[in-house]
Amino acid sequence: MSDTAPDTTPDSAPDVAADITPTEPHTTPVLTPHPAPAPAPAPARTLLEAVGLHKSFGPTPALDGAGLSVRPGEVVAVMGPSGSGKSTLLHCLAGILTPDKGTVRYRDVELSAMGDGPRSELRRTDFGFVFQFGQLVPELTCLENVALPLRLGSVKRKEAESRAREWLERLEVADVADKRPGETSGGQGQRVAVARALVTGPRVVFADEPTGALDSLNGERVMQLLVTAARETNAAVVLVTHEPRVAAYSDREVVVRDGRSREMEPIT
Amino acid sequence: MRQWVSDLALGVRLALGGGRTSWVRLALTGAGIGIGVAVLLTAASVPTVLSERAEREALGAQVTGGTADAEKASGDVLYSTMWFTAYRGESVTGYFVKGSGPDAPVPPGMSRVPGDGELFASPALRALLESPEGGLLRERFPQRVVGTIGQIGLNAPNDLLFYAGDATVKEDAETAVVRFGGQVHERTLDPLLTLLIMVGVVALLFPVLVFVGISTRLAGAERDRRLAALRLVGAGALRVRRIAAGESLLGAFVGLAVGTVLFFVARQFVEDVRLLGLSVFMSDLTPSLPFAVVIAVLVPVMAVVTSVVAMRHTVIEPLGVVRRAKPVRRVLWWRLVPPVVGVVALISQSGTLGGPQNNASETVVIGGILMLLLSIPVLLPWVVEHAVGRLRGGAPSWQLAIRRLQLESGTAARVVGGVAVVLAGGIALQSIMASAASQVEDRPQRPADHSRIVIDMREATTEVAARTVDLLERSTGVEQVHTMRDLVFTGASEQFDLARVGTCEALRAQAVLPSCQDGDSFYVEHRSAYAGGPAPFKPGQKVTVNPKQDADGGQSGPQWTIPQYTVVTAPDDSLGYRPGLLLTPSLARDLPLAAGRATFHVMVDPDVPDVAEHVRNAVASMTWRTYTSYFGEAEVAQRVKEFQGIRRGLLAGSLITLLFAGASLLVLALEQVRERRRPLAVLAASGVPRGALSRSLLWQNAVPLLLALVVAVGVGGSLTVLLLKVISQPVVLDWPGIALLSGAAALLVVAVTVLSLPSLRRATGALGLRSE
């Protein structure tokens, strides 16, 4: 490879992997019924930063210079109307989509320069995902779903399932452990998804409309559990939503409109 | 390595998880692949069937005292004379035998040599004789049945074979069997027949492989979503492929198991099945080990390769979960590679199998056929995508179908792709067979005259002949019997000719005579088929009458002078008119007729049921001396027999492949409904009538089918043209055959759509909607 070639070769993977070594999973915390108080002021160092992102799907621009920075442990709500580009921004931040222009840096490593292997590993170890629906594998039981990222990371089955069970208990869905996702209610399914997102002890949880398919009561409960668990494990949360009620769980809000982002006044 | 195993295991877990849905999917995949495996195992058994038959044939070969192979016959011998008869179109073959002593060789499959009046029959013949349907045949076998011929003495379970003890069997070196058992003959086939087999095997088996490949891609959309979910939680692209391979492997192994069980269960009943006159012993239907190993390896490998290749276009990206990207437009250029390679390969072999020579490379010919057939499933998705992309408007059912196809036409194209391959193979096969038939059966077959039965009799003494006439005249349906005696004259330099002696009335049954009275003689001219043969004896020429009544009987008979004769032309030499001299009785007074052959022309009323059986029964007591046939019934040459055997085999194979295609198509159609049950349920819930949904389903199969027919006719036609050039035959396409095959394929799709309607009804029912 030439010196000028982007650092996407497999040879570069060990360095990147070393840089994104996951934190050890935390011991089981005790959940409080309400969101924990906001942590101490975030360290100055940015965990995840996107600058000047452009992304188009065919002729339709989705992002037009959007940017966002996330510090460790903070909850950032990305708001905006439908079609404004907030989900696309989240997907770019998570390395699922590659922006046409602009950079996304995670712990000083450029995501778009990473190959598929390191990016997959990053999703397995440092990132967690909670989507509106569909992210659970319907063929696996809820317990197996939660244990899946650990199993993919070569953790032995027993250990993986034991840790998964702890998270199901923390999220109050231990009773559905042996059920398949299709056999659970929407709220239970989302809590299982939250457990799966957090089981590896991620540094960032990406939540795209996590309560979009739930009633308000269930939505509230899922948000409480997600934010509490994230704070207890010091995981940052990037929360895409168009509901102010959900955004209220965040430390700060970023509004995306027509593919451009704008920081809102800090929440007091 | 551990990771590999773990990923494959996860794939298996995913294939098994999901409760009923997963099991149904696995069952459909297993059924689809299983049917294919069963057909492949059947095909893999063909070499065993042929070799076992050849070995038994060799075991039963008679080594007679008159042959070079015979050892010095010091012990007992078995005098044996072969006899053919027929019963309602079925051929019955057997031997009248007589042991010279207790150590006479015993035919294979029998415990002893039958004594005079005893009969050993094959199981099929025994069953026929004991059944009410065999009532008329029983009259022909008055012997006491004392045993059944075992499998080792038979070719196939439906063989109608017998060995009957008969004290009157001639005792000479030619009939004296000193032992049974000869060499297994290596079969060398005519190049044309070789090509026919090549086309047949490829055209019949390739669709099976296509269907196996398609079956591994069942429920592709669900799998993509599942794998995308795995990508989301951090599985790399390579791992996802390994997991997908694990899923496919399970389906393939289940298919292998299902196919093997299906094959061995069906095998139990194979002896009861008769397809176009062919039947096989259960023990013969054993897959040859190398082929079985190839199947066991090929099916899983194909399953994995197909599923991994299929993922090429499927964006198994994490976003597959939440956002389904518009499918990538299919490109044409690489899809043109198989047809181009196929055409070039076959063009390079043009003329190499023309005439009697065989300069063809079998690998190139088979490769060319394979490539052209492969081009159908490769080209079809592109053709369907581009064709349906241009369709617009119409009734709601049409619109639903077209929009669905525009969104995703791959599954539909795959569903009909297999049928299209069967069709293209069928078109090529039919056309080559038609061409081969015209070449192999160089004389057109004419129907025999069913109002005249000819009985040839050996050793027809005057008394025997008179008794035969008496028996025949008393038989049901017989109107008239003409007796003629046969003679062979030998001239100088091994020239010989035939003569037939009979009354004018009898001779008129043999040729159209201008006028006739006792003392006249005629000469029936040799026709074109005999052109180049010996010139006829001239009147006044001295000849020797051969007392053995055959061409190589030597010069030991009495001398005779050819009388003046009138040359007549046989109206049609292919209809039983034998060339040679025709003599009225007074001219043959001095000839040794009493020991010779006789021919009886028996005029019958063809409307009398089973009249031929009554005639055969009438002369049954003459046993081995008689051979009965319809007038004009042509003796079939070995080459033609081989061709007819291959044609029967290929037709039987075509039937099996067509049934298989139908079964696979049904599995695929059911899976298509199952995969789309959610949108179907939603449509039903929003008020779309079931009739519209059913019609939409039909259109979704019919539109790709129509396009598949076009591609199949194009490829099948091209294949025919190229193969006919390989055998240097004029290009003639069998259009009625093409229309028939296309119609059959269309019917198949309609039938499959109808059969999948109950599944659609379930999916769109209230319960179906609720469960979604």
Side-chain angles (χ1 to χ4, degrees), chain B residues 614-636:
Chain B
H614 289 296
V615 169
R616 288 189 185 109
N617 285 354
V619 294
S621 58
M622 309 297 162
T623 63
W624 51 270
R625 290 179 184 83
T626 59
Y627 175 72
T628 310
S629 61
Y630 282 111
F631 184 66
E633 203 171 8
E635 198 172 329
V636 183

Side-chain angles (χ1 to χ4, degrees), chain B residues 186 242 316 355 429 469 606 661:
Chain B
E186 281 290 321
R242 285 203 294 263
I316 308 289
L429 206 55
V469 171

Side-chain angles (χ1 to χ4, degrees), chain A residues 57 87-88 91 96-97 116-117 119-121 123-125 129 131-141 144-145 148-149 151-154 156 180 196 208, chain B residues 2-3 6-7 10 13-23 25 222 225-226 229-239 243 317-319 321-323:
Chain A
F57 296 104
S87 288
T88 305
H91 296 145
I96 294 173
L97 286 179
D116 178 71
R119 267 192 293 148
S120 295
E121 193 177 340
R123 283 200 300 276
R124 198 168 62 235
T125 56
F129 295 89
F131 286 168
Q132 189 172 344
F133 43 63
Q135 71 269 36
L136 295 176
V137 182
E139 282 77 7
L140 301 179
T141 63
E144 288 170 330
N145 260 293
L148 188 61
R151 296 292 313 280
L152 289 172
S154 303
K156 286 198 186 325
R180 294 200 178 82
R196 195 182 68 176
D208 191 352
Chain B
R2 240 188 69 199
Q3 183 119 71
S6 149
D7 290 345
L10 180 59
R13 172 73 189 85
L14 291 175
L16 284 175
R20 193 171 160 268
T21 313
S22 295
W23 287 101
R25 188 180 61 224
E222 278 178 22
R225 281 195 288 278
R226 192 162 54 242
L230 286 172
R231 291 279 281 143
L232 185 67
V233 290
L238 192 65
R239 291 191 77 173
I243 292 165
E317 286 299 327
L319 280 186
V321 181
V322 289
R323 179 176 291 165

Side-chain angles (χ1 to χ4, degrees), chain B residues 244-263:
Chain B
E247 281 194 48
S248 303
L249 268 182
L250 181 72
F253 284 128
V254 169
L256 267 181
V258 168
T260 309
V261 169
L262 203 64
F263 172 75

Side-chain angles (χ1 to χ4, degrees), chain B residues 366-437:
Chain B
I366 290 179
I369 301 168
L370 267 176
M371 279 292 155
L372 268 177
L373 290 178
L374 177 69
S375 63
I376 295 174
V378 169
L379 276 173
L380 203 54
W382 184 89
V383 172
V384 173
E385 183 183 284
H386 281 76
V388 297
R390 292 164 201 280
L391 297 174
R392 296 278 178 279
S397 61
W398 172 261
Q399 204 173 18
L400 278 172
I402 293 309
R403 288 298 182 214
R404 171 70 204 153
L405 287 171
Q406 284 170 351
L407 190 65
E408 208 279 306
S409 59
T411 310
R414 277 194 290 279
V415 168
V416 293
V419 178
V421 175
V422 176
L423 189 62
I427 289 170
L429 206 55
Q430 285 301 324
S431 302
I432 304 287
M433 261 196 303
S435 174

Side-chain angles (χ1 to χ4, degrees), chain A:
Chain A
M1 281 288 170
S2 69
D3 292 336
T4 53
D7 193 13
T8 54
T9 58
D11 292 342
S12 66
D15 292 337
V16 175
D19 195 44
I20 56 167
T21 306
T23 53
E24 279 300 307
H26 299 262
T27 52
T28 313
V30 179
L31 279 180
T32 51
H34 299 289
R45 194 177 174 210
T46 304
L47 183 66
L48 179 66
E49 186 176 38
V51 179
L53 297 184
H54 287 77
K55 179 77 185 172
S56 298
F57 296 104
T60 317
L63 293 179
D64 185 18
L68 178 72
S69 65
V70 181
R71 289 182 291 273
E74 74 168 337
V75 179
V76 182
V78 180
M79 296 192 68
S82 291
S84 58
K86 52 190 189 299
S87 288
T88 305
L89 175 62
L90 180 137
H91 296 145
C92 287
L93 286 168
I96 294 173
L97 286 179
T98 308
D100 301 334
K101 221 164 87 180
T103 57
V104 179
R105 298 180 75 81
Y106 172 69
R107 300 180 75 191
D108 296 331
V109 178
E110 169 65 51
L111 283 190
S112 56
M114 291 166 77
D116 178 71
R119 267 192 293 148
S120 295
E121 193 177 340
L122 199 63
R123 283 200 300 276
R124 198 168 62 235
T125 56
D126 280 32
F127 294 169
F129 295 89
V130 184
F131 286 168
Q132 189 172 344
F133 43 63
Q135 71 269 36
L136 295 176
V137 182
E139 282 77 7
L140 301 179
T141 63
C142 292
L143 182 72
E144 288 170 330
N145 260 293
V146 178
L148 188 61
L150 297 171
R151 296 292 313 280
L152 289 172
S154 303
V155 176
K156 286 198 186 325
R157 189 173 65 88
K158 269 194 174 172
E159 193 193 335
E161 289 189 355
S162 157
R163 278 159 64 178
R165 206 174 286 281
E166 284 171 19
W167 274 100
L168 286 174
E169 280 167 13
R170 287 169 66 174
L171 288 152
E172 302 165 359
V173 278
D175 55 326
V176 298
D178 296 325
K179 289 185 176 172
R180 294 200 178 82
E183 297 164 336
T184 63
S185 69
Q188 286 171 325
Q190 280 309 76
R191 281 188 251 175
V192 172
V194 172
R196 195 182 68 176
L198 292 165
V199 73
T200 54
R203 290 176 188 274
V204 188
V205 174
F206 295 95
D208 191 352
E209 303 281 11
T211 62
L214 304 178
D215 60 75
S216 59
L217 206 64
N218 264 310
E220 289 282 339
R221 190 69 191 128
V222 165
M223 280 313 300
Q224 280 170 8
L225 290 167
L226 168 64
V227 173
T228 307
R231 291 204 194 287
E232 284 175 359
T233 56
N234 199 34
V237 178
V238 179
L239 177 65
V240 166
T241 183
H242 61 270
E243 293 180 71
R245 203 160 35 82
V246 174
Y249 284 86
S250 66
D251 301 322
R252 64 190 171 94
E253 290 176 20
V254 174
V255 174
V256 180
R257 194 181 290 276
D258 300 330
R260 284 186 289 271
S261 56
R262 183 168 59 86
E263 189 92 18
M264 297 293 285
E265 291 299 313
I267 299 164
T268 52

